[in-house]
Amino acid sequence: MPATYPADSVGLVEPQRAVFPAPLALECGRTLSGFELVYETYGTLNAAASNAVLVCHALSGTHHAAGYHSPDDRKPGWWEACIGPGKPLDTDRFFVVCCNNLGGCHGSTGPTSTNPQTGEPYGPDFPMVTVRDWVASQARLADHLGIERWAAVVGGSLGGMQALQWAMDLPDRIAHAVAIAAAPRLSAQNIAFNEVARQAIRSDPEFHDGRYQSRGVIPRRGLMLARMLGHITYLSEAAMREKFGRELRRGKDDYDFHYEVEFEVESYLRYQGESFVERFDANTYLLMTKALDYFDPAAAHGGSLARALASATARFLVLSFTSDWRFPPSRSREIVRALLETYKPVTYGEIEADHGHDAFLMPVPQYLQVFRTYMQRVAAEVAA
Amino acid sequence: MPATYPADSVGLVEPQRAVFPAPLALECGRTLSGFELVYETYGTLNAAASNAVLVCHALSGTHHAAGYHSPDDRKPGWWEACIGPGKPLDTDRFFVVCCNNLGGCHGSTGPTSTNPQTGEPYGPDFPMVTVRDWVASQARLADHLGIERWAAVVGGSLGGMQALQWAMDLPDRIAHAVAIAAAPRLSAQNIAFNEVARQAIRSDPEFHDGRYQSRGVIPRRGLMLARMLGHITYLSEAAMREKFGRELRRGKDDYDFHYEVEFEVESYLRYQGESFVERFDANTYLLMTKALDYFDPAAAHGGSLARALASATARFLVLSFTSDWRFPPSRSREIVRALLETYKPVTYGEIEADHGHDAFLMPVPQYLQVFRTYMQRVAAEVAA
């Protein structure tokens, strides 16, 4: 509970809401008659509107990327490590924007919103959204904010995929694309993990074909399992070993021979699962995992990522982490290779870090340094 | 449906049953008043009873390791690749024994058996069994078969752990221990995956605290999820890529934008999950994962695996597979290092194979060759 906020934090922030009444045609073939996005901004947009950076969130992220919502907040936004005065996304120089994605459950139009046609929550009737749809919806937000062109679009994991999609779909509106711990498309193993998570949710008897909200219940067990599983893939084996090892809980020094929590790692996972249920919607989780599965820009170009990226004019920063086994460095190198094949300017950094996929959220010194240096160059261009 | 069996198969086999009326004190502190083991044998025990090999099964294995139960069988036993005339466990030379482990659900005493004290199925009241308990129960089977000393105790994965435990607990009764794709204890990540599987089963409303059998139901969804998750960890990323890639199902060439099976890998996993439910018991699955979690022979020796192995007099063959990420080669090397530290004779092979953990079940040529060569030496000793 910071009475005052840390000097390198953006401090107190307030979410805003933008309403887009025009229809949005989605990749799945359906059309949303209109939508709303909840977003936050940090820093000040300059007169030329040339210093704006869009931060795209990952699977379970929100618009609350930095700062605090109240002095009582125990935790700052999810990317506090990277957003703030003097940080890589330096709010003294950039105007940073982060929105809750379409289909989300933190205020933007999504499955928990009221379907204007029925007066009921959309639930499972909310259309499937894709990374391309997110880019299109974020472009409306850019219009709304008077931003013709982003100095950079930046994201980790699924957020990095959005940065790539921006570079492909709207090349005139993005100067730099920063894709951190991302992949050009999911592997069969990635899809398999997502499928188990979805089955966990959809087979929960409280799921009710996605209409749990109108029944006043939550597919709690399924969502908890999905999150527990997700967490395993976010952490490296080494990080888990360091964090928990085979430590038994509560200073116990022998086995109980029962099924209650015995190992610290079990306790951690159950806690993560239980707390997730309180703040995330199951239908949104399903949507987000499908958006991940569907992301495959090369598919429309005969499998060539280079051809998919041919339209891009942005410069690229690609970063990966050595212990990330969800989207390992080899996946980032696929992106780099495709960019080099078509002579795109790309900077690539492979960061030595033990934290696994989650490293992109953490204050890993080498990571912050590379990211900061790159963004300082972007800031210099903006100022020039 | 082989009208005749392949020449290198043991052909038609029949399970047998051994009854052990004497009480068995278990590591958890409880005692089974008696128990039964179902087992199969292949080959012929020689007059000196010196050519017997015990095969220990893994998490979801059974006593049916080789051959066919009927001419209509579509599939042979689970280790057909390694057991038969001319195969590594050459049934022309060895008398091979494989039992369903105590706590299993394929005929040996376990949660689905009738508790003599209540006349009801044990269900959740079946005591927790450990790798040490399995060794003790298998020793009774050895007595029953007139086998004083195994020429070798052999197993993959959890089966390899049993081979190690045999070498530590009953050094006089085992000449060779063969541990394939095993680990000296689970990592935090391994435990984490097991815990998600257990939670999937235990949170299934049809689980009824383990008393589903008396209610005539099965925690189908949970068991299916557990198996789907297991399968991901058994296959390597590369194997999944080769087998499924991002292929869509049924020759479709575009996304459906729904939650039914779209990718081949989803179809495969669901099939694996669904068929598992028909042949495996949920309480047994829980027991088996706990036996894995608890296995940690070094713990009683201040964390020193070398000291744990000090009592062993067997010679060791340790094999691992390059793409196994469940129990990777580094884990096998921990075993090898501990053996070398105490000057135990050990042969180690790291097999180049793309199949992941499942490689130990497959006819990988280099694997079969190394395994066969080692076992030929064992056979020569037996004959000498």
Side-chain angles (χ1 to χ4, degrees), chain A residues 110-159:
Chain A
T112 57
S113 309
T114 301
N115 181 345
Q117 264 142 46
T118 64
E120 293 281 312
Y122 276 103
D125 300 328
F126 195 83
M128 205 75 93
V129 287
T130 65
V131 173
R132 284 178 69 177
D133 298 330
W134 284 333
V135 169
S137 63
Q138 289 157 352
R140 299 252 184 115
L141 180 60
D143 296 342
H144 171 81
L145 296 169
I147 296 159
E148 180 52 42
R149 187 169 184 252
W150 298 103
V153 178
V154 176
S157 193
L158 179 54

Side-chain angles (χ1 to χ4, degrees), chain A residues 220-344:
Chain A
R220 179 174 295 275
R221 304 176 199 88
L223 193 53
M224 181 174 161
L225 287 170
R227 182 59 167 183
M228 289 171 77
L229 182 53
H231 256 280
I232 301 179
T233 70
Y234 305 151
L235 295 180
S236 69
E237 216 275 316
M240 279 201 157
R241 188 169 56 237
E242 258 172 59
K243 222 169 163 166
F244 314 109
R246 292 177 51 88
E247 287 306 309
L248 297 174
R249 209 187 171 189
R250 292 180 307 251
K252 294 172 35 50
D253 55 17
D254 212 350
Y255 300 146
D256 282 335
F257 296 107
H258 63 41
Y259 292 112
E260 298 315 310
V261 163
E262 287 198 89
F263 293 98
E264 273 298 338
V265 66
E266 296 173 318
S267 166
Y268 169 82
L269 281 183
R270 288 200 201 176
Y271 172 79
Q272 292 296 335
E274 280 163 10
S275 65
F276 190 64
V277 171
E278 306 306 322
R279 63 186 160 88
F280 214 87
D281 173 61
N283 282 316
T284 289
Y285 200 84
L286 296 175
L287 279 183
M288 295 281 168
T289 61
K290 276 302 228 182
L292 271 166
D293 287 7
Y294 287 141
F295 181 71
D296 185 8
H301 299 268
S304 164
L305 184 62
R307 281 214 293 280
L309 285 160
S311 56
T313 54
R315 278 158 289 164
F316 291 82
L317 173 63
V318 177
L319 294 176
S320 70
F321 300 94
T322 49
S323 62
D324 183 351
W325 65 278
R326 184 178 173 86
F327 299 144
S330 57
R331 306 309 313 277
S332 281
R333 277 187 247 117
E334 288 177 40
I335 300 170
V336 173
R337 252 194 314 275
L339 288 167
L340 291 176
E341 261 182 61
T342 41
Y343 307 102
K344 308 288 182 200

